[in-house]
Every structure is written in C-alpha cells, then in structure tokens.
C-alpha cells in the first residue's frame, strides 16, 4: 500500500490551484494524496479539470463538514478513520490574520483519534502553532503559489527546484489554445465577494472605448449574466456564456485576451497562458500573483484603507473599485492587445512564407 498524506483545507479554486504543484509533487513521490475540501460541487468538478495523469487513482477528495450536522460528521470521520496518513499538510494559502483556528484544532483532534503516526505540518504563523508537529517559517507575504511552493521546499529540502512543477489542465481544455480563438475578449465580471467586483454599470462605457470589430463574450453565473445583459446596449453583438466550471475554463482558453476580477480566473489564465487584465481593489496584486506573468493588473491605491484584504468592505461604498474608470481599463486592454499583435507578427510572417 502506498504511503498517504492529507492536504487541506481548501475553500476556493484559486487557493487549490496554487497548491496544485505541491499536490503533484507528492503524487510524483508515489504518495496517495487526500484533499480536504469545503463542501462545494464546483470545487470538486474543478479538481477533475487539473491534469494529474497518470496519478488519478492516487488522488482522493473529502468534504469537511461546514455545519454541526451529526450525519455529516459521522460520514467524514468514517472516511478519516479509513486512511493512515504519514503527514497532514496545512496549506498556508490564507493571510496570517485570516488563518483558521478551527482547522488546526480539528486536524489535531483527528490525528489523536485515528492518525497516531501522522505529523501535522504547517506554517509557524498558523493559529495554535503548538498543535503542529513541525512548524515552517513560511513567508506569508509571498504571492500565493510561490508561498505554497517555498513552504514545501522548507519541508522537503532545498534540493527541490525553486520553480514548481508545471500544472496543466486536461487535454479537453488545453487543446482550446491550439485552435483558432472564438473570441478576441472574454470578460468575467464575477468574483466570490462584492468587494472584488468592478461595478456592472462600468461595462457599457468600457466597451464603447473598444474596437467594434472585437468579438466579445461575457462569462459567468446566470445571475451575473442577467445583470450584465440588462446593462449592455444593443448597439453591438455580445455572447453571454454560462455553464459548468469545465465549460467556463474552456471559454477562457478560447479567448485571445481576458478581462478578470481578483478571482480564481486569474490563476486559470496563468495556467492557460492567456494574456489578461485583472482589476484589483482591496488587495495588492503583488501579494496574489506573479505580476511579471501573462496577467497585467490594474490597482490604484488611492484610499487609506487599501489594501484592507477584508472579506467585507467596511466603507460606505467600495471606493477602491468604484473609482476605477472605464477609460483606464480600456487603455490597459488596448496595451495588452498591441502586445498580442506584436507577438503574433512572426507567426503570421512564417505562415505567409509557407503559403507563398
């Protein structure tokens, strides 16, 4: 039987994707990996979009109860009793002030009940670090993926490459980057918190600044698409796309360029290599993503409350996002577009030579 480890706990797709190199590295070490997830069907579906071949049979998903339901806890504890991990990795994706005090307590209690030989490993800045068997001096100021991988190198040794293993999506998604693009621009206006979303009323004036020849699609939940559709003028055609998480990522992969919020889609864009613009307000993008990657950012630090990193805005309105003008976003998109055209020039020249 393979040695096994437990990795968790994940609530969002962005956090899970940033931990994916650690998950893949453990699978490559011939470990069975048990992921602890908050109950979320979309999060489970997202796991099936990440290419972990040929290790699919070694990756197991478990939903940690989000209520006091005795039935949920009995099921969860039965699943935990059935495995014998050698290590429990507490992912350091949350900022220090937002790290959960419940997770170390629950995992240590399970370790005492069922996993006598398991070591709890996590950042020395987690809540109740005394519960951990091994504490790592993790720099929580690093961008998410870099933070996770640097913590993992502290555990497994500096002989590991500073560059984490490359994560890809399954071929069904990745192949969309090898065929002609369906859209010039895909806009995903949604996020998992209101203070991460640029106001709906800004999109109509935004597209007025953009070339009328662009094929534009809006992507998101049906509720988001209804609001956007009601706010957009009928002077030009747009596609409004909804669907499963797999279909959503396929749509992102089908674009020449993306406009995104501070959400998991930024991390998807980086994996796919799609040139993108992401709008930030309450967080500094340097704390979240590699700002030298394919995602360009808009972040205007105008207000003393920025960056607050609060899940709920404490101001009368979300000043940090409301103050970003459509012209600013349009200018950044046009700059990215010019870069795309410059990058495509050699390819077009080669096609011309081959066809002549």
């Amino acid at each position: 039987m393979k040695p096994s480890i437990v990795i968790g706990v994940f609530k969002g797709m962005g956090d899970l994707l940033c931990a994916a190199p650690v998950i893949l590295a453990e699978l490559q070490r011939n470990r069975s990996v048990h992921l602890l997830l908050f109950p979320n069907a979309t999060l489970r579906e997202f796991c099936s979009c990440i290419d972990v071949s040929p290790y699919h049979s070694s990756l197991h998903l478990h939903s940690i109860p989000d209520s006091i339901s005795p039935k949920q806890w009995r099921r969860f504890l039965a699943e935990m009793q059935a495995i014998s991990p050698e290590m429990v990795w507490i992912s350091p994706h949350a900022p220090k002030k937002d790290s959960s005090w419940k997770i170390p307590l629950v995992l240590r209690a399970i370790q005492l009940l069922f996993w006598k030989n398991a070591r709890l490993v996590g950042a020395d800045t987690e809540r109740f670090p005394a519960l951990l068997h091994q504490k790592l001096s993790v720099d929580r100021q690093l961008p998410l993926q870099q933070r996770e991988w640097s913590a993992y190198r502290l555990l497994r040794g500096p002989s590991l490459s500073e560059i984490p293993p490359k994560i890809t999506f399954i071929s069904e998604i990745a192949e969309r980057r090898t065929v002609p693009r369906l859209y010039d621009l895909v806009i995903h206006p949604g996020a998992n918190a209101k203070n991460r979303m640029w106001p709906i009323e800004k999109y109509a004036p935004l597209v007025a600044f953009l070339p009328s020849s662009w094929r534009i699609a809006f992507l998101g939940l049906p509720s988001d698409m209804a609001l956007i559709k009601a706010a957009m003028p009928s002077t030009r055609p747009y596609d409004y796309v909804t669907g499963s998480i797999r279909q959503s990522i396929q749509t992102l992969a089908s674009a020449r360029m993306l406009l995104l919020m501070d959400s998991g889609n930024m991390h998807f864009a980086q994996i796919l290599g799609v040139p993108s613009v992401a709008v930030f307000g309450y967080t500094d993008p340097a704390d979240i993503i590699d700002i030298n990657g394919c995602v360009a950012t808009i972040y205007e630090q105008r207000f003393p409350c920025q960056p607050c990193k609060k899940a709920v805005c404490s101001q009368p309105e979300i000043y940090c996002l409301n103050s970003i003008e459509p012209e600013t976003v349009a200018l950044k998109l046009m700059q990215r577009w010019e870069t795309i055209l410059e990058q495509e020039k050699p390819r077009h020249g080669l096609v011309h030579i081959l066809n002549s």
Side-chain angles (χ1 to χ4, degrees):
M1 183 180 294
K2 288 183 181 180
S4 63
I5 71 164
V6 170
I7 300 179
V9 175
F10 300 101
K11 183 179 289 186
M13 290 179 286
D15 295 337
L16 181 56
L17 191 56
C18 288
V22 171
I23 296 166
L24 181 57
E26 284 298 309
L27 290 170
Q28 291 171 341
R29 288 171 59 88
N30 199 33
R31 286 339 188 236
S32 288
V33 175
H34 296 263
L35 293 185
L36 299 185
L37 313 174
F38 278 89
N40 185 320
T42 301
L43 193 57
R44 280 180 166 262
E45 184 190 356
F46 174 67
C47 289
S48 71
C49 295
I50 301 173
D51 185 6
V52 293
S53 56
Y55 309 106
H56 294 100
S57 62
S58 296
L59 183 63
H60 311 276
L61 309 181
H62 306 273
S63 293
I64 188 168
D66 61 351
S67 71
I68 58 173
S69 164
K71 183 178 179 180
Q72 285 188 20
W73 277 100
R74 281 196 298 270
R75 173 198 52 76
F76 175 69
L77 291 175
E79 290 181 14
M80 297 301 97
Q81 188 175 13
I83 62 178
S84 301
E86 61 182 16
M87 183 181 75
V88 181
W89 173 264
I90 299 178
S91 172
H93 55 261
K96 178 182 176 180
K97 67 176 184 177
D98 295 329
S99 60
S100 171
W101 58 268
K102 296 179 183 177
I103 289 171
L105 280 173
V106 168
L107 292 179
R108 185 55 190 273
I110 295 173
Q111 185 266 327
L112 291 171
L113 282 171
F114 307 128
W115 304 335
K116 302 298 185 183
N117 298 319
R119 294 180 300 126
L120 264 66
V121 181
D124 57 6
T125 48
E126 292 291 345
R127 305 292 178 93
F128 304 128
L131 297 175
L132 304 176
H133 297 95
Q134 186 173 351
K135 295 176 277 291
L136 306 171
S137 299
V138 178
D139 182 357
R140 290 188 111 113
Q141 298 302 311
L142 291 172
L144 286 178
Q145 189 173 91
Q146 191 178 348
R147 182 193 314 166
E148 188 94 27
W149 186 250
S150 66
Y152 184 67
R153 290 183 75 232
L154 290 174
L155 173 71
R156 295 301 188 197
S159 60
L160 281 176
S161 170
E162 292 185 14
I163 302 173
K166 182 175 175 58
I167 300 301
T168 59
F169 288 115
I170 56 176
S171 59
E172 181 182 333
I173 294 171
E175 287 169 359
R176 294 295 181 98
R177 300 301 297 160
T178 65
V179 298
R181 309 293 185 253
L182 291 177
Y183 303 107
D184 296 305
L185 175 66
V186 169
I187 299 173
H188 193 292
N192 62 3
K194 287 185 177 180
N195 60 344
R196 293 187 180 194
M197 297 170 63
W198 200 44
I200 294 291
E201 60 270 19
K202 302 272 190 178
Y203 287 99
L206 165 67
V207 297
F209 287 112
L210 303 178
S212 59
S213 59
W214 280 10
R215 297 162 298 170
I216 298 176
F218 289 90
L219 170 68
L221 298 172
S223 56
D224 292 335
M225 293 302 93
L227 292 173
I228 286 285
K229 196 169 185 177
M232 298 303 294
S234 57
T235 51
R236 62 186 290 182
Y238 310 97
D239 281 355
Y240 299 92
V241 183
T242 63
S244 67
I245 185 62
R246 182 173 300 196
Q247 292 168 330
S248 295
I249 300 173
Q250 286 176 325
T251 301
L252 297 176
S254 300
R256 296 177 77 184
M257 184 168 61
L258 304 173
L259 174 61
L260 309 165
M261 301 300 103
D262 172 12
S263 67
N265 292 284
M266 291 185 311
H267 304 291
F268 304 166
Q270 287 188 308
I271 296 298
L272 293 165
V274 185
S276 307
V277 172
V279 181
F280 281 77
Y282 86 121
T283 50
D284 185 334
D287 296 336
I288 306 297
I289 61 170
D290 178 4
I291 58 175
N292 297 313
C294 66
V295 179
T297 61
I298 296 174
Y299 177 59
E300 298 180 345
Q301 193 169 0
R302 297 179 176 181
F303 304 98
C305 55
Q306 288 177 271
C308 70
K309 301 181 182 179
K310 293 180 179 178
V312 178
C313 181
S314 60
Q315 303 301 319
E317 64 176 89
I318 306 170
Y319 296 118
C320 56
L321 286 176
N322 294 355
S323 65
I324 297 175
E325 296 298 332
E327 189 171 3
T328 301
V329 179
L331 179 60
K332 181 70 78 170
L333 286 170
M334 294 303 296
Q335 290 170 343
R336 295 295 285 155
W337 187 253
E338 290 299 318
T339 302
I340 292 170
L341 295 181
E342 284 297 317
Q343 291 171 342
E344 291 179 348
K345 272 183 181 178
R347 198 183 316 164
H348 289 161
L350 179 60
V351 170
H352 176 74
I353 291 170
L354 291 174
N355 291 335
S356 62

